Amino acid sequence: MGLPNKEVLHRYLDVATEAALAGGGILEGYWGKLDTVEEKGRAGDLVTIADRQSEVAVLDVIQRHFPEHQILAEESGLIGQEHQGFCWAIDPLDGTTNYTHQYPFSAVSVGLLIDGFPAVGVVYDPFHRELFRGAIGLGATRNRQPMAVSQTRELEKSLLVTGFAYDRRETEDNNYAEFCYLTHLTQGVRRGGAAAIDLAYVACGRLDGFWERGLSPWDLAAGVVLVQEAGGEVTAYDRGPFDIASGRVLATNGHIQDALSQALLQVKPLGFSFLP
Ligand code: IPD
Ligand code: CA
Ligand code: CA
């Protein structure tokens, strides 16, 4: 199935916005009021009533408007059958660890994949009241004003962000070496703790680039659209085509894509050899 026309894309974008704002309201409501925090399996992979109730609110909006569409939501898994290539990818609370510590850097991420490609994306950060929206061919906005990636052209002058997946204690491919090396080469590497906001910040030019492994489609779907529509570039680490199923992403303002790609391919794994 080809891309829908602009009018239809606008409708998807508006429904994604309604859903993200609904989820954001739930995150505000539970802020500082969590009685329990559960672990989902891996150490540090947390879930709370805020994740679950935000997901209920987001699903309610999407299913009311598009009952036939398939949905992949972090806490519910895959819902519904394949329908004309549409699949919503939803993270009801990206940045759960931050949220449980009352570190205000979390968001709701609502993306729409069409034939596996991110086509519509909304990231809403209720703690800074920032609404990031984008759709293929329609551009990208922050709080309804057009946004664009930064103009930084040298890695040495860039500010980057990355993250570490919950399997980091089990695999030598844990991103530790990449983090050290890029910290060495740039003005800094942040660890935001919410991949959807990391991508949104690249899209609005606060950060020049983002890379990470071990991510899920719900972390990536919305933010990838934002970066692409804000004039940035999203690829695999080796600059091959971005594949959402790989869990790996390299997203920059475009100018430093090549240099960051080369750095990521050069670095040798640090493994666990530095541990006592
Ligand atoms: C996590 C965040 C984090 C990233 C992890 C994700 P969650 O999502 O996006 O920045 O490094 O890999 O799993 O668990 O807070 O939704
Ligand atoms: Ca997430
Ligand atoms: Ca989440």
Side-chain angles (χ1 to χ4, degrees):
M1 132 127 218
L3 263 190
N5 65 39
K6 283 190 177 184
E7 204 177 306
V8 174
L9 278 174
H10 269 296
R11 177 151 179 253
Y12 295 145
L13 189 52
D14 286 342
V15 172
T17 305
E18 186 186 337
L21 292 173
I26 302 286
L27 301 191
E28 285 186 84
Y30 282 107
W31 182 251
K33 296 182 192 144
L34 295 177
D35 292 328
T36 50
V37 177
E38 292 166 50
E39 247 175 24
K40 281 200 266 190
R42 279 206 169 94
D45 191 358
L46 311 176
V47 64
T48 70
I49 189 168
D51 298 70
R52 295 199 175 106
Q53 292 303 318
S54 172
E55 185 155 304
V56 168
V58 172
L59 291 181
D60 182 62
V61 174
I62 305 286
Q63 289 176 325
R64 193 156 25 87
H65 288 276
F66 305 112
E68 68 285 8
H69 284 184
Q70 193 173 46
I71 301 176
L72 176 66
E74 179 169 12
E75 310 309 335
S76 311
L78 200 57
I79 302 168
Q81 305 298 314
E82 202 281 323
H83 174 83
Q84 295 180 353
F86 291 98
C87 185
W88 293 86
I90 292 160
D91 193 336
L93 199 186
D94 188 40
T96 299
T97 307
N98 288 342
Y99 188 87
T100 63
H101 289 265
Q102 293 181 57
Y103 180 85
F105 196 80
S106 308
V108 182
S109 179
V110 179
L112 174 63
L113 303 171
I114 302 181
D115 294 332
F117 293 99
V120 174
V122 174
V123 174
Y124 179 53
D125 168 359
F127 307 106
H128 300 93
R129 296 238 182 265
E130 286 196 304
L131 177 68
F132 300 93
R133 296 171 16 116
I136 294 266
L138 299 185
T141 60
R142 185 188 74 85
N143 289 346
R144 312 243 176 207
Q145 299 301 315
M147 65 175 174
V149 293
S150 66
Q151 288 302 317
T152 307
R153 283 164 194 277
E154 293 150 67
L155 208 49
E156 298 70 30
K157 293 188 176 153
S158 69
L159 183 63
L160 307 180
V161 66
T162 190
F164 305 93
Y166 297 114
D167 66 358
R168 61 184 175 269
R169 297 177 194 86
E170 298 149 33
T171 173
E172 300 222 326
D173 180 21
N174 50 24
N175 201 29
Y176 296 170
E178 290 85 342
F179 181 71
C180 291
Y181 187 42
L182 268 310
T183 297
H184 197 70
L185 293 182
T186 63
Q187 289 188 349
V189 182
R190 301 289 175 257
R191 196 293 191 234
I197 305 184
D198 296 338
L199 285 160
Y201 278 21
V202 173
C204 74
R206 287 178 188 150
L207 295 165
D208 304 304
F210 168 65
W211 83 92
E212 192 166 336
R213 60 160 290 280
L215 291 168
S216 298
W218 50 77
D219 299 310
L220 291 163
V224 160
V225 181
L226 299 177
V227 174
Q228 287 171 334
E229 286 300 309
E233 193 175 334
V234 180
T235 66
Y237 280 17
D238 65 1
R239 274 195 105 175
F242 167 68
D243 172 12
I244 198 160
S246 73
R248 271 175 211 263
V249 66
L250 170 56
T252 77
N253 61 10
H255 304 300
I256 61 162
Q257 192 82 5
D258 193 42
L260 185 49
S261 167
Q262 283 183 35
L264 289 172
L265 297 181
Q266 266 163 24
V267 68
K268 295 182 190 64
L270 201 54
F272 301 107
S273 54
F274 64 94
L275 292 173

